[in-house]
Amino acid sequence: MKSLGTLSRLLAGSALLLASGALAQTTTTPAAPTATDDTEILVTALRRSESLQNVPASITAFTSKTIEAAGIVRPADFIGLTPNVNLVQTQNAGSSFVIIRGITQARNSEPSVAVVVDGVQQVNAAQFNQELVDIEQIEVLKGPQGALYGRNAIGGAIIITSKAPTDELAGKITAGVDNGFGYFARANLSGPIAENVKFRIAGTWYDTDGFIPNTFLNEDADPFKEFNLRGNLLWQATPELTVDLRGAVSLLRTQAFYYNIVSDVNDVSLPVRVNNAGINDRDLYNATLRIQHDSDIGTFTSTTSYDKVTEILTGDGFNFLPIPESLLFQFFGFDINQSQYLDVSAWSQEFRYASPADKPLQVIVGAYGIGTQRYISTGNLIDTGNGVTPIYRTPSTNPLNPQQTFLADSQDNFAWALFGNAIWKLNDQLRVDASLRYDRDARENTTLTPANFLPNVPGFPPGVTGQVRKRTFDAWQPKLTLTWKPADNVTLFGGWSRGFRSGGFNQTGVGGVAASNGIVGVNDIFEAEIAETFEIGLKTQTADRLLTFNASAFTTKSENSYFFVFLAANSTQNLGNVPETRIKGFEVDATLRPLPGLDLIAGFGYTDSEIKRFPGPGVVGNQAPLISRYTLNLTGNYRRPLTETLDLTARVDYRRTGRTWFDVENSTSRDPIDLVDTRLGVAGRNWSLTGFASNLFNIKYNAEFSPGGFVFKARPRRYGVEASFNF
């Protein structure tokens, strides 16, 4: 792993970036506009369109120009540019954990952040890691936002807005290749189809052999195929009435469970050597209907949405080595592999009223409801060298792959909420934002595990097929912010907010299994998490917008935060609760445009956590899992005319992620990681040709360490070239 100093010298040799020594760094504001974007950035994260520099909140915003310049096509791309925000990608496509200001996530948990795509909140964390198709703007709002976005907005909110249909026929095609060897294509088409009716359709395809070798099978462990399609039909029925219909599908095919087992997360010496390539197939579907009516008294909006998520995983089991070398085979004469299946369907409905935005007092009130059906099964099978049988709802009957363990549960959940928020502009200098939301989440879990597979531990109630468990989680989520503008280009704000994340059910009987194996904090039910945050912030920029500086500081008390435990005894992934954690930190950022066409951006975020209460000894005082001590971002973005019709484009992004802890015991911590991404190209009036590289210096590191020594390799260097044509 290269040191920070070495990487800095390499960056300097790359030419663009580190003239930014005079800059402070960015954690609370926008990824700066690109060189050709000197207009004011408007954001909608607080439910109304406002200037980014005036809005009293810590928001990082990415405009369409920034998205194009930075090559943002997946969530990891923009999260890597956002201070104090991390993404852990591990195990399978649906296991991607967002960590914002120390609020973490784990497998099978509720999200740590509300992800809102075109006004509709994603219903399951397995939806997050997918290609970003035809995006206009991305906003990352930090700190508890439950008052605005409801349960699961405990760490913040990510607002993703697609490009709107156009009045004239227009489109774009992008195609490229990478060193996978892979190829990809992205395209969109938009325009009118009838009077007052417009459409937009966009799709992507990516196919690569992979980047991480499996030396046992002599093939890559991470081949990847993904197809995405999104469509939008917009009907302006009357000047006041708009009908917006959207649909999306995402189909992904890759592999999972290619772990190594080590004691130190920094150990990257072992190659992947699983004898089962396995599968990871994920299908996502969404349909949304939004009806909006504008009038002199305000705007009324109805949003109806349906989502379907299915994901099947198969692969090697512990300890992820070929059969003769596996630990189980050596001790018991057999090896195992595994299968997991997730099936979620949900509908949601929101009604909202917003008063006119040009009044000193602005009000939004509404109601929200979501019904969710969820099924999950997990299990181990005897590995006889004949592959893995995908297991959906019933145990394997394949004599070449007999079932060893099997657990299955279904959930029938219904949550509803009432909410309201107000903005009161007392005068040109003073403003009060107040929000309040009540969420109630009723959950019902039915045990579907056949009796012969139920774990029954002496001293604990026996599991019963058909057993129904019910719990209701509810909370009031208030938010209050005071804003003072002592000058036109200076915004000071401070506030308090409370966030709530629902609890839920581990699979039947794991509490007894955990206790019998000496693991504390894990029960059949995990409790809801509550986080309370105090924050102060500053935003300022020069009148010509050539220099922007922002800063914020926060302190958070979290009760019942999640942590992850894998129980090898019944091959289950479970959540436990940390009774109390204290998190504190700060963020600073700056953007400078020293020359026409050159943007220099810097950002720094610091997070310190401490476990204050825990049922087991030796944990109090430790760092909370998955939290990195700091993030450092430096960016240089340059666009310069070469001729009257040809521009040079260049960009370098550097990110340093500080020391990271992964379990409550702090048994190991990952050393800081330094990554560099670059893009260099030429652009004409309606075309561009760009070379790109992510993880330019091919830094080897593990994306995650989980209890038991499981480490999952991060993707090494990826590079390639792409061409785009607009029409």
Side-chain angles (χ1 to χ4, degrees), residues 414-488:
F414 180 73
W416 60 270
L418 299 174
F419 59 88
N421 69 285
I423 300 173
W424 184 19
K425 297 180 179 178
L426 286 75
N427 52 47
D428 291 340
Q429 287 77 42
L430 294 176
R431 163 177 166 173
V432 178
D433 288 61
S435 304
L436 182 64
R437 178 170 176 136
Y438 176 73
D439 279 86
R440 186 175 182 85
D441 189 357
R443 302 196 163 203
E444 179 180 297
N445 187 95
T446 302
T447 300
L448 300 179
T449 306
N452 57 313
F453 285 103
L454 280 168
N456 290 312
V457 180
F460 291 87
V464 178
T465 303
Q467 177 186 5
V468 177
R469 297 178 286 165
K470 297 182 180 181
R471 281 290 296 269
T472 296
F473 305 95
D474 67 327
W476 290 94
Q477 299 185 83
K479 181 179 175 69
L480 179 65
T481 305
L482 304 178
T483 306
W484 177 41
K485 290 183 65 64
D488 286 344

Side-chain angles (χ1 to χ4, degrees), residues 425-648:
K425 297 180 179 178
L426 286 75
N427 52 47
D428 291 340
Q429 287 77 42
L430 294 176
R431 163 177 166 173
V432 178
D433 288 61
S435 304
L436 182 64
R437 178 170 176 136
Y438 176 73
D439 279 86
R440 186 175 182 85
D441 189 357
R443 302 196 163 203
E444 179 180 297
N445 187 95
T446 302
T447 300
L448 300 179
T449 306
N452 57 313
F453 285 103
L454 280 168
N456 290 312
V457 180
F460 291 87
V464 178
T465 303
Q467 177 186 5
V468 177
R469 297 178 286 165
K470 297 182 180 181
R471 281 290 296 269
T472 296
F473 305 95
D474 67 327
W476 290 94
Q477 299 185 83
K479 181 179 175 69
L480 179 65
T481 305
L482 304 178
T483 306
W484 177 41
K485 290 183 65 64
D488 286 344
N489 294 323
V490 178
T491 299
L492 301 172
F493 64 92
W496 167 76
S497 56
R498 189 171 189 260
F500 155 70
R501 175 162 51 176
S502 287
F505 302 95
N506 288 318
Q507 287 187 296
T508 303
V510 300
V513 175
S516 65
N517 284 271
I519 297 173
V520 299
V522 176
N523 300 290
D524 281 18
I525 294 175
F526 56 92
E527 300 299 329
E529 180 181 3
I530 299 291
E532 295 192 28
T533 295
F534 290 90
E535 178 180 8
I536 56 173
L538 160 71
K539 295 184 173 185
T540 183
Q541 65 180 187
T542 58
D544 55 11
R545 297 181 185 156
L546 295 183
L547 175 64
T548 298
F549 176 80
N550 305 277
S552 65
F554 62 90
T555 179
T556 298
K557 177 185 177 182
S558 170
E559 297 181 344
N560 291 324
S561 62
Y562 298 160
F563 71 96
F564 171 74
V565 171
F566 173 73
L567 290 177
N570 60 354
S571 189
T572 53
Q573 301 178 1
N574 306 285
L575 298 179
N577 292 116
V578 179
E580 182 181 342
T581 305
R582 174 65 67 175
I583 306 167
K584 54 187 177 183
F586 66 89
E587 301 149 357
V588 293
D589 71 76
T591 300
L592 175 66
R593 183 171 296 169
L595 300 170
L598 175 62
D599 291 323
L600 300 175
I601 309 161
F604 182 79
Y606 175 87
T607 303
D608 181 43
S609 65
E610 183 181 358
I611 295 175
K612 293 290 189 178
R613 289 188 289 120
F614 193 78
V619 171
V620 173
N622 285 355
Q623 297 289 315
L626 295 177
I627 299 175
S628 300
R629 178 54 55 89
Y630 64 87
T631 60
L632 170 66
N633 291 83
L634 300 172
T635 292
N637 191 85
Y638 190 46
R639 186 172 183 125
R640 175 184 177 180
L642 296 175
T643 68
E644 290 186 358
T645 60
L646 190 66
D647 288 353
L648 170 70

